[in-house]
Amino acid sequence: MRQLSKMAGVVVVGVCIAGPAFAVDATQVGRKIGFNEQEVEAGLDVRVGLGGFTGDLGDETGIGPLFGITAVAQPAPLVGVEVGYEGQSVPIDDARVSGGNHIWRNNGTILGKVGPVLENNLHPFVGIGLGLSYLDSSSGSEPVYSNDWQTEFPMTAGIDYRLGNLFAGVRGTYRLVGGEELVTVPGTSDDAKGSLFNGNITVGGRF
């Protein structure tokens, strides 16, 4: 018990010493990336576009429209954060299913992005994040297609053009997809695998 008390004392002292040091380091990092809480910008954007699955999933589905709405924040000139919702209708093009069926994709994503501001209005960027989607197959596609949750790891690149508080942009997003149990490959019992690629245009505002 005495040894345990000594160890606990050492830990407490170490935390007391390290705490201020970490705080100083965090402040220095914030200064280096240009963080100033008085100048943090936030806003909303809406996006429309097209996209679809790749791989085995792409063989049995088509290209579908998407719509999204996203909350954005720019805590530093080079760093941005997005949290948003994206809905997409992906048509099913599978001989095992009658025509007119589709998959509704409902997605939530958080994404960090980096990129410089050029000539005060052009903002190229790249980003990476984490998302979760619920795939809801239309009733006419059952029992070939199921409803499914899938994790997504989006990687995006694009460019925004800003005019005052308004902006417009284009981007492409490639999403690595995990946990697919949506449908099997025709003639087998293997789950169809694939990724997801979407392209869209965005418009929004900052305040």
Side-chain angles (χ1 to χ4, degrees):
M1 177 66 78
R2 183 174 299 175
Q3 291 296 325
L4 182 61
S5 298
K6 289 181 179 179
M7 291 176 63
V10 170
V11 170
V12 170
V13 171
V15 170
C16 291
I17 295 174
F22 282 128
V24 170
D25 286 344
T27 301
Q28 292 175 346
V29 170
R31 289 174 179 171
K32 288 181 179 179
I33 66 173
F35 174 75
N36 185 337
E37 63 181 11
Q38 302 300 322
E39 297 178 359
V40 172
E41 292 186 326
L44 290 173
D45 73 40
V46 294
R47 60 192 61 177
V48 293
L50 293 170
F53 291 106
T54 65
D56 294 332
L57 285 174
D59 293 339
E60 310 305 326
T61 57
I63 295 174
L66 65 89
F67 169 82
I69 184 167
T70 303
V72 297
Q74 194 79 24
L78 295 177
V79 180
V81 180
E82 299 181 354
V83 180
Y85 164 82
E86 188 172 88
Q88 185 171 11
S89 176
V90 180
I92 295 175
D93 184 16
D94 190 326
R96 297 169 293 177
V97 174
S98 60
N101 285 286
H102 57 266
I103 302 162
W104 285 107
R105 171 177 163 267
N106 294 283
N107 167 265
T109 290
I110 180 169
L111 183 139
K113 58 183 184 179
V114 295
V117 178
L118 307 177
E119 299 180 356
N120 295 322
N121 52 21
L122 288 175
H123 185 196
F125 61 86
V126 295
I128 190 169
L130 176 65
L132 181 66
S133 283
Y134 180 68
L135 304 180
D136 184 7
S137 302
S138 56
S139 58
S141 66
E142 299 173 353
V144 179
Y145 283 75
S146 304
N147 298 335
D148 186 34
W149 289 95
Q150 69 178 23
T151 54
E152 298 179 1
F153 300 93
M155 295 172 284
T156 189
I159 186 167
D160 290 335
Y161 179 82
R162 180 166 177 172
L163 184 61
N165 291 329
L166 303 178
F167 82 95
V170 295
R171 72 170 63 188
T173 304
Y174 181 80
R175 295 172 179 261
L176 297 174
V177 173
E180 311 97 316
E181 295 180 353
L182 181 68
V183 65
T184 58
V185 177
T188 75
S189 59
D190 298 330
D191 290 328
K193 304 292 185 180
S195 299
L196 182 69
F197 180 78
N198 287 331
N200 58 62
I201 59 174
T202 61
V203 293
R206 300 288 183 269
F207 50 86

PDB file of all heavy atoms in Angstrom, residues 89-112:
ATOM      1  N   SER A  89     -29.821   8.911 -53.865  1.00  0.00           N
ATOM      2  CA  SER A  89     -30.618   7.831 -54.428  1.00  0.00           C
ATOM      3  C   SER A  89     -29.787   7.130 -55.490  1.00  0.00           C
ATOM      4  O   SER A  89     -29.451   7.725 -56.513  1.00  0.00           O
ATOM      5  CB  SER A  89     -31.906   8.380 -55.044  1.00  0.00           C
ATOM      6  OG  SER A  89     -32.645   7.350 -55.678  1.00  0.00           O
ATOM      7  N   VAL A  90     -29.426   5.869 -55.241  1.00  0.00           N
ATOM      8  CA  VAL A  90     -28.602   5.095 -56.169  1.00  0.00           C
ATOM      9  C   VAL A  90     -29.497   4.070 -56.865  1.00  0.00           C
ATOM     10  O   VAL A  90     -30.062   3.192 -56.205  1.00  0.00           O
ATOM     11  CB  VAL A  90     -27.456   4.378 -55.424  1.00  0.00           C
ATOM     12  CG1 VAL A  90     -26.604   3.578 -56.393  1.00  0.00           C
ATOM     13  CG2 VAL A  90     -26.616   5.383 -54.655  1.00  0.00           C
ATOM     14  N   PRO A  91     -29.660   4.147 -58.180  1.00  0.00           N
ATOM     15  CA  PRO A  91     -30.516   3.193 -58.878  1.00  0.00           C
ATOM     16  C   PRO A  91     -29.918   1.791 -58.893  1.00  0.00           C
ATOM     17  O   PRO A  91     -28.696   1.629 -58.954  1.00  0.00           O
ATOM     18  CB  PRO A  91     -30.611   3.775 -60.291  1.00  0.00           C
ATOM     19  CG  PRO A  91     -29.381   4.585 -60.455  1.00  0.00           C
ATOM     20  CD  PRO A  91     -29.064   5.140 -59.100  1.00  0.00           C
ATOM     21  N   ILE A  92     -30.784   0.783 -58.838  1.00  0.00           N
ATOM     22  CA  ILE A  92     -30.351  -0.613 -58.921  1.00  0.00           C
ATOM     23  C   ILE A  92     -30.462  -1.073 -60.366  1.00  0.00           C
ATOM     24  O   ILE A  92     -31.507  -0.929 -60.993  1.00  0.00           O
ATOM     25  CB  ILE A  92     -31.207  -1.507 -57.999  1.00  0.00           C
ATOM     26  CG1 ILE A  92     -30.983  -1.111 -56.533  1.00  0.00           C
ATOM     27  CG2 ILE A  92     -30.874  -2.979 -58.206  1.00  0.00           C
ATOM     28  CD1 ILE A  92     -31.873  -1.849 -55.552  1.00  0.00           C
ATOM     29  N   ASP A  93     -29.363  -1.601 -60.889  1.00  0.00           N
ATOM     30  CA  ASP A  93     -29.308  -2.091 -62.265  1.00  0.00           C
ATOM     31  C   ASP A  93     -28.862  -3.552 -62.221  1.00  0.00           C
ATOM     32  O   ASP A  93     -27.740  -3.891 -62.563  1.00  0.00           O
ATOM     33  CB  ASP A  93     -28.340  -1.237 -63.085  1.00  0.00           C
ATOM     34  CG  ASP A  93     -28.308  -1.632 -64.547  1.00  0.00           C
ATOM     35  OD1 ASP A  93     -29.235  -2.344 -64.982  1.00  0.00           O
ATOM     36  OD2 ASP A  93     -27.352  -1.255 -65.244  1.00  0.00           O
ATOM     37  N   ASP A  94     -29.769  -4.397 -61.768  1.00  0.00           N
ATOM     38  CA  ASP A  94     -29.445  -5.788 -61.461  1.00  0.00           C
ATOM     39  C   ASP A  94     -30.511  -6.676 -62.101  1.00  0.00           C
ATOM     40  O   ASP A  94     -31.712  -6.469 -61.885  1.00  0.00           O
ATOM     41  CB  ASP A  94     -29.426  -5.958 -59.940  1.00  0.00           C
ATOM     42  CG  ASP A  94     -28.869  -7.300 -59.482  1.00  0.00           C
ATOM     43  OD1 ASP A  94     -29.082  -8.304 -60.173  1.00  0.00           O
ATOM     44  OD2 ASP A  94     -28.235  -7.334 -58.409  1.00  0.00           O
ATOM     45  N   ALA A  95     -30.078  -7.673 -62.873  1.00  0.00           N
ATOM     46  CA  ALA A  95     -31.019  -8.559 -63.576  1.00  0.00           C
ATOM     47  C   ALA A  95     -31.892  -9.349 -62.611  1.00  0.00           C
ATOM     48  O   ALA A  95     -32.960  -9.849 -63.000  1.00  0.00           O
ATOM     49  CB  ALA A  95     -30.236  -9.517 -64.481  1.00  0.00           C
ATOM     50  N   ARG A  96     -31.476  -9.450 -61.347  1.00  0.00           N
ATOM     51  CA  ARG A  96     -32.258 -10.206 -60.362  1.00  0.00           C
ATOM     52  C   ARG A  96     -33.405  -9.389 -59.786  1.00  0.00           C
ATOM     53  O   ARG A  96     -34.228  -9.918 -59.024  1.00  0.00           O
ATOM     54  CB  ARG A  96     -31.335 -10.672 -59.232  1.00  0.00           C
ATOM     55  CG  ARG A  96     -30.232 -11.621 -59.663  1.00  0.00           C
ATOM     56  CD  ARG A  96     -29.212 -11.834 -58.555  1.00  0.00           C
ATOM     57  NE  ARG A  96     -28.456 -10.608 -58.275  1.00  0.00           N
ATOM     58  CZ  ARG A  96     -27.546 -10.500 -57.307  1.00  0.00           C
ATOM     59  NH1 ARG A  96     -27.306 -11.552 -56.520  1.00  0.00           N
ATOM     60  NH2 ARG A  96     -26.895  -9.372 -57.117  1.00  0.00           N
ATOM     61  N   VAL A  97     -33.440  -8.090 -60.124  1.00  0.00           N
ATOM     62  CA  VAL A  97     -34.423  -7.170 -59.545  1.00  0.00           C
ATOM     63  C   VAL A  97     -35.145  -6.435 -60.674  1.00  0.00           C
ATOM     64  O   VAL A  97     -34.518  -6.071 -61.675  1.00  0.00           O
ATOM     65  CB  VAL A  97     -33.712  -6.156 -58.611  1.00  0.00           C
ATOM     66  CG1 VAL A  97     -34.685  -5.103 -58.109  1.00  0.00           C
ATOM     67  CG2 VAL A  97     -33.066  -6.883 -57.442  1.00  0.00           C
ATOM     68  N   SER A  98     -36.441  -6.211 -60.506  1.00  0.00           N
ATOM     69  CA  SER A  98     -37.207  -5.496 -61.526  1.00  0.00           C
ATOM     70  C   SER A  98     -36.765  -4.039 -61.601  1.00  0.00           C
ATOM     71  O   SER A  98     -36.189  -3.494 -60.657  1.00  0.00           O
ATOM     72  CB  SER A  98     -38.705  -5.567 -61.211  1.00  0.00           C
ATOM     73  OG  SER A  98     -38.978  -4.990 -59.946  1.00  0.00           O
ATOM     74  N   GLY A  99     -37.012  -3.395 -62.736  1.00  0.00           N
ATOM     75  CA  GLY A  99     -36.591  -2.020 -62.937  1.00  0.00           C
ATOM     76  C   GLY A  99     -37.311  -1.046 -62.022  1.00  0.00           C
ATOM     77  O   GLY A  99     -38.394  -1.335 -61.490  1.00  0.00           O
ATOM     78  N   GLY A 100     -36.708   0.128 -61.831  1.00  0.00           N
ATOM     79  CA  GLY A 100     -37.323   1.172 -61.024  1.00  0.00           C
ATOM     80  C   GLY A 100     -36.985   1.131 -59.553  1.00  0.00           C
ATOM     81  O   GLY A 100     -37.459   1.983 -58.789  1.00  0.00           O
ATOM     82  N   ASN A 101     -36.167   0.185 -59.131  1.00  0.00           N
ATOM     83  CA  ASN A 101     -35.777   0.110 -57.723  1.00  0.00           C
ATOM     84  C   ASN A 101     -34.492   0.900 -57.471  1.00  0.00           C
ATOM     85  O   ASN A 101     -33.718   1.176 -58.388  1.00  0.00           O
ATOM     86  CB  ASN A 101     -35.587  -1.346 -57.297  1.00  0.00           C
ATOM     87  CG  ASN A 101     -36.907  -2.062 -57.106  1.00  0.00           C
ATOM     88  OD1 ASN A 101     -37.608  -1.834 -56.131  1.00  0.00           O
ATOM     89  ND2 ASN A 101     -37.264  -2.915 -58.068  1.00  0.00           N
ATOM     90  N   HIS A 102     -34.276   1.252 -56.217  1.00  0.00           N
ATOM     91  CA  HIS A 102     -33.130   2.081 -55.877  1.00  0.00           C
ATOM     92  C   HIS A 102     -32.725   1.853 -54.419  1.00  0.00           C
ATOM     93  O   HIS A 102     -33.432   1.184 -53.663  1.00  0.00           O
ATOM     94  CB  HIS A 102     -33.461   3.562 -56.094  1.00  0.00           C
ATOM     95  CG  HIS A 102     -34.646   4.011 -55.307  1.00  0.00           C
ATOM     96  ND1 HIS A 102     -35.923   4.016 -55.826  1.00  0.00           N
ATOM     97  CD2 HIS A 102     -34.768   4.425 -54.025  1.00  0.00           C
ATOM     98  CE1 HIS A 102     -36.767   4.430 -54.904  1.00  0.00           C
ATOM     99  NE2 HIS A 102     -36.094   4.682 -53.797  1.00  0.00           N
ATOM    100  N   ILE A 103     -31.589   2.452 -54.061  1.00  0.00           N
ATOM    101  CA  ILE A 103     -31.075   2.414 -52.686  1.00  0.00           C
ATOM    102  C   ILE A 103     -31.008   3.847 -52.186  1.00  0.00           C
ATOM    103  O   ILE A 103     -30.370   4.698 -52.813  1.00  0.00           O
ATOM    104  CB  ILE A 103     -29.673   1.786 -52.629  1.00  0.00           C
ATOM    105  CG1 ILE A 103     -29.680   0.373 -53.207  1.00  0.00           C
ATOM    106  CG2 ILE A 103     -29.145   1.776 -51.193  1.00  0.00           C
ATOM    107  CD1 ILE A 103     -28.297  -0.131 -53.573  1.00  0.00           C
ATOM    108  N   TRP A 104     -31.668   4.132 -51.069  1.00  0.00           N
ATOM    109  CA  TRP A 104     -31.538   5.441 -50.425  1.00  0.00           C
ATOM    110  C   TRP A 104     -30.351   5.386 -49.473  1.00  0.00           C
ATOM    111  O   TRP A 104     -30.284   4.533 -48.595  1.00  0.00           O
ATOM    112  CB  TRP A 104     -32.797   5.797 -49.647  1.00  0.00           C
ATOM    113  CG  TRP A 104     -33.947   6.212 -50.494  1.00  0.00           C
ATOM    114  CD1 TRP A 104     -35.085   5.501 -50.758  1.00  0.00           C
ATOM    115  CD2 TRP A 104     -34.088   7.453 -51.192  1.00  0.00           C
ATOM    116  NE1 TRP A 104     -35.911   6.219 -51.580  1.00  0.00           N
ATOM    117  CE2 TRP A 104     -35.342   7.416 -51.876  1.00  0.00           C
ATOM    118  CE3 TRP A 104     -33.278   8.583 -51.323  1.00  0.00           C
ATOM    119  CZ2 TRP A 104     -35.783   8.471 -52.659  1.00  0.00           C
ATOM    120  CZ3 TRP A 104     -33.725   9.635 -52.108  1.00  0.00           C
ATOM    121  CH2 TRP A 104     -34.967   9.580 -52.755  1.00  0.00           C
ATOM    122  N   ARG A 105     -29.433   6.310 -49.676  1.00  0.00           N
ATOM    123  CA  ARG A 105     -28.255   6.397 -48.804  1.00  0.00           C
ATOM    124  C   ARG A 105     -28.384   7.647 -47.942  1.00  0.00           C
ATOM    125  O   ARG A 105     -28.455   8.769 -48.448  1.00  0.00           O
ATOM    126  CB  ARG A 105     -26.977   6.468 -49.642  1.00  0.00           C
ATOM    127  CG  ARG A 105     -25.715   6.777 -48.850  1.00  0.00           C
ATOM    128  CD  ARG A 105     -24.489   6.764 -49.747  1.00  0.00           C
ATOM    129  NE  ARG A 105     -23.359   7.427 -49.106  1.00  0.00           N
ATOM    130  CZ  ARG A 105     -23.066   8.711 -49.259  1.00  0.00           C
ATOM    131  NH1 ARG A 105     -23.809   9.480 -50.051  1.00  0.00           N
ATOM    132  NH2 ARG A 105     -22.035   9.241 -48.625  1.00  0.00           N
ATOM    133  N   ASN A 106     -28.425   7.447 -46.627  1.00  0.00           N
ATOM    134  CA  ASN A 106     -28.488   8.554 -45.668  1.00  0.00           C
ATOM    135  C   ASN A 106     -27.188   8.570 -44.881  1.00  0.00           C
ATOM    136  O   ASN A 106     -26.880   7.616 -44.167  1.00  0.00           O
ATOM    137  CB  ASN A 106     -29.674   8.382 -44.725  1.00  0.00           C
ATOM    138  CG  ASN A 106     -30.996   8.486 -45.457  1.00  0.00           C
ATOM    139  OD1 ASN A 106     -31.446   9.577 -45.791  1.00  0.00           O
ATOM    140  ND2 ASN A 106     -31.629   7.349 -45.745  1.00  0.00           N
ATOM    141  N   ASN A 107     -26.431   9.659 -45.010  1.00  0.00           N
ATOM    142  CA  ASN A 107     -25.071   9.686 -44.478  1.00  0.00           C
ATOM    143  C   ASN A 107     -24.829  10.886 -43.579  1.00  0.00           C
ATOM    144  O   ASN A 107     -25.297  11.995 -43.841  1.00  0.00           O
ATOM    145  CB  ASN A 107     -24.072   9.734 -45.647  1.00  0.00           C
ATOM    146  CG  ASN A 107     -22.668  10.078 -45.193  1.00  0.00           C
ATOM    147  OD1 ASN A 107     -22.256  11.236 -45.223  1.00  0.00           O
ATOM    148  ND2 ASN A 107     -21.933   9.068 -44.757  1.00  0.00           N
ATOM    149  N   GLY A 108     -24.061  10.654 -42.522  1.00  0.00           N
ATOM    150  CA  GLY A 108     -23.520  11.731 -41.694  1.00  0.00           C
ATOM    151  C   GLY A 108     -22.010  11.639 -41.696  1.00  0.00           C
ATOM    152  O   GLY A 108     -21.452  10.542 -41.555  1.00  0.00           O
ATOM    153  N   THR A 109     -21.329  12.779 -41.862  1.00  0.00           N
ATOM    154  CA  THR A 109     -19.873  12.778 -41.982  1.00  0.00           C
ATOM    155  C   THR A 109     -19.272  13.949 -41.223  1.00  0.00           C
ATOM    156  O   THR A 109     -19.832  15.051 -41.212  1.00  0.00           O
ATOM    157  CB  THR A 109     -19.448  12.877 -43.469  1.00  0.00           C
ATOM    158  OG1 THR A 109     -19.761  11.652 -44.128  1.00  0.00           O
ATOM    159  CG2 THR A 109     -17.945  13.120 -43.600  1.00  0.00           C
ATOM    160  N   ILE A 110     -18.120  13.715 -40.587  1.00  0.00           N
ATOM    161  CA  ILE A 110     -17.292  14.787 -40.056  1.00  0.00           C
ATOM    162  C   ILE A 110     -15.972  14.733 -40.815  1.00  0.00           C
ATOM    163  O   ILE A 110     -15.423  13.639 -41.044  1.00  0.00           O
ATOM    164  CB  ILE A 110     -17.070  14.645 -38.532  1.00  0.00           C
ATOM    165  CG1 ILE A 110     -16.199  15.809 -38.023  1.00  0.00           C
ATOM    166  CG2 ILE A 110     -16.481  13.306 -38.152  1.00  0.00           C
ATOM    167  CD1 ILE A 110     -16.160  15.898 -36.508  1.00  0.00           C
ATOM    168  N   LEU A 111     -15.492  15.902 -41.239  1.00  0.00           N
ATOM    169  CA  LEU A 111     -14.339  15.933 -42.137  1.00  0.00           C
ATOM    170  C   LEU A 111     -13.453  17.134 -41.812  1.00  0.00           C
ATOM    171  O   LEU A 111     -13.957  18.232 -41.551  1.00  0.00           O
ATOM    172  CB  LEU A 111     -14.823  15.991 -43.586  1.00  0.00           C
ATOM    173  CG  LEU A 111     -13.789  15.955 -44.701  1.00  0.00           C
ATOM    174  CD1 LEU A 111     -14.277  15.058 -45.847  1.00  0.00           C
ATOM    175  CD2 LEU A 111     -13.549  17.364 -45.255  1.00  0.00           C
ATOM    176  N   GLY A 112     -12.140  16.920 -41.812  1.00  0.00           N
ATOM    177  CA  GLY A 112     -11.183  18.009 -41.671  1.00  0.00           C
ATOM    178  C   GLY A 112     -10.510  18.265 -43.000  1.00  0.00           C
ATOM    179  O   GLY A 112     -10.267  17.330 -43.768  1.00  0.00           O
TER     180      GLY A 112
END
